[in-house]
Amino acid sequence: MNLEAEVICDYFVSSEMKQVWNIELEMLEKVDKICKENGITYSLAGGSLLGAIRHKGYIPWDDDVDIIMPRKDYENFLQLAQEQFEFPFFVQYYKTENYYPRGHAQIRNSNTTAIIQGDEYNNFNKGIFIDIFPLDNIPDNENERKKFLKKLLKLKKKLGLFYGIESTSKIKYYVKKVIRKIKYTFIDYNKEIEKFEKALKTYNNIETRQCGALGFRPDEFKYETQWFKNTIEVPFEDIKVKIISNYDEALKRQYNDYMKIPENKNGSVHGEIIFDTKESYKNYNKGEKI
């Protein structure tokens, strides 16, 4: 892709951000290849889906790629991805990274840096990433749905499966770390994650009207399960990727008049991120090079 800085939709996109995009595109292209070769259903989601339709690529003020997959496809993909992504790429989720504080997977480039505020002192891979979210079924009964989503939120809070969960204060972080270490002397963290994963799949053996990225935000990002019966291929920067054919309905539900350029051009849900496309996260300490 063109790596020169430019103004897009009255928003300045730096050459550095385009280099971040380019690294993410390399990972996205590999994900697309694995999925196409193995019959795995996936779609861009959120801002990436919006970007594909409105900008034929990244939203100028966005900084990542979001991908969604039905749970069975997601689990199949993770197995294949661990075999086909080679260093410096790393398939990151709770089975490949101890105490990984996310309810979904990420593909990372280990030779780069993407430190989300709140993750400064966490000892896991913090390379530039793309997000991959599994979709799980949501019960149709309203009361049952409320109880189910409440239960998932409670489990997420217990396990700390959130972005930026750690304090930016080093002292507070280490106090939390000591407490957590004592806690997991008596409780197996991985077993707790397995319980959470099992809870997420509670309704996957029956047909339901809706599904969602429940491991990420149980109360948001709901999709109609039928949307994933058909996908189409669209341009995204200089590659082609898959999206759900019902993208118009999905985008209207999330953004209303989604083709309108907003006056307030906010970044992604990650908040502030320290990016470096040339240095590994291993050479950083709370955003400063060691």
Side-chain angles (χ1 to χ4, degrees):
M1 66 182 295
N2 171 22
L3 297 179
E4 294 184 7
E6 62 178 313
V7 175
I8 307 174
C9 297
D10 296 322
Y11 187 87
F12 177 74
V13 182
S14 68
S15 175
E16 290 77 11
M17 181 50 65
K18 286 196 170 184
Q19 290 175 47
V20 171
W21 287 355
N22 207 41
I23 289 169
E24 294 170 350
L25 276 178
E26 185 180 1
M27 293 185 278
L28 174 58
E29 189 171 26
K30 180 71 171 178
V31 169
D32 175 73
K33 183 174 184 291
I34 292 172
C35 290
K36 285 178 179 175
E37 289 179 349
N38 294 279
I40 294 173
T41 298
Y42 84 91
S43 171
L44 294 187
S48 298
L49 177 59
L50 175 57
I53 299 303
R54 193 171 69 192
H55 303 275
K56 291 183 168 51
Y58 288 95
I59 295 174
W61 43 95
D62 201 1
D63 57 24
D64 78 331
V65 172
D66 293 323
I67 299 168
I68 50 176
M69 299 178 183
R71 172 65 71 169
K72 286 185 178 180
D73 293 282
Y74 172 82
E75 291 180 346
N76 189 17
F77 170 78
L78 290 181
Q79 291 300 315
L80 293 166
Q82 289 177 72
E83 299 169 3
Q84 298 190 37
F85 272 102
E86 298 179 350
F87 187 85
F89 301 109
F90 176 59
V91 181
Q92 185 180 47
Y93 70 120
Y94 77 97
K95 287 187 178 180
T96 61
E97 185 99 74
N98 287 333
Y99 302 107
Y100 179 59
R102 305 283 187 264
H104 61 278
Q106 295 177 305
I107 309 295
R108 300 265 189 176
N109 183 319
S110 305
N111 286 340
T112 65
T113 298
I115 302 175
I116 297 173
Q117 187 177 26
D119 280 346
E120 293 95 331
Y121 306 111
N122 275 324
N123 297 321
F124 57 75
N125 190 309
K126 294 189 281 285
I128 290 172
F129 62 89
I130 62 175
D131 287 316
I132 302 178
F133 303 95
L135 297 173
D136 294 293
N137 288 354
I138 302 170
D140 293 334
N141 180 275
E142 187 175 350
N143 289 332
E144 197 172 354
R145 173 184 297 221
K146 287 179 180 179
K147 289 179 182 178
F148 179 55
L149 299 181
K150 185 177 180 180
K151 176 184 176 180
L152 295 181
L153 283 170
K154 186 177 180 180
L155 288 170
K156 272 179 66 69
K157 185 176 181 180
K158 177 182 177 182
L159 291 165
L161 298 175
F162 294 94
Y163 277 108
I165 61 163
E166 304 294 3
S167 172
T168 54
S169 162
K170 195 168 186 176
I171 294 174
K172 288 182 179 179
Y173 167 75
Y174 281 111
V175 168
K176 287 182 180 180
K177 190 173 183 179
V178 169
I179 293 172
R180 187 165 54 193
K181 187 174 181 180
I182 294 170
K183 177 181 178 181
Y184 291 115
T185 299
F186 303 98
I187 301 173
D188 189 319
Y189 184 81
N190 285 335
K191 284 186 178 180
E192 292 300 310
I193 292 287
E194 290 284 359
K195 288 180 184 178
F196 180 61
E197 290 279 303
K198 185 177 180 180
L200 290 170
K201 303 177 198 178
T202 300
Y203 295 92
N204 288 358
N205 61 341
I206 61 173
E207 288 190 17
T208 63
R209 186 172 62 86
Q210 290 187 328
C211 59
L214 306 183
F216 178 50
R217 290 187 174 176
D219 52 341
E220 295 184 33
F221 304 136
K222 295 181 178 63
Y223 302 90
E224 302 299 311
T225 52
Q226 65 178 359
W227 290 350
F228 297 89
K229 293 181 179 179
N230 294 295
T231 59
I232 59 174
E233 195 170 64
V234 296
F236 191 87
E237 300 299 341
D238 55 359
I239 67 174
K240 288 189 175 181
V241 295
K242 295 281 190 176
I243 64 169
I244 51 176
S245 58
N246 297 70
Y247 67 84
D248 179 65
E249 188 177 350
L251 289 172
K252 283 178 179 175
R253 183 176 293 183
Q254 189 168 353
Y255 299 103
N256 297 317
D257 185 7
Y258 63 86
M259 292 302 289
K260 182 179 180 181
I261 303 296
E263 293 183 12
N264 184 16
K265 299 174 174 64
N266 293 317
S268 75
V269 298
H270 304 122
E272 294 183 14
I273 305 182
I274 297 167
F275 283 115
D276 194 321
T277 60
K278 297 180 175 63
E279 288 276 1
S280 170
Y281 68 95
K282 295 177 182 178
N283 298 329
Y284 276 72
N285 181 21
K286 200 178 181 241
E288 298 296 331
K289 290 183 183 179
I290 296 172

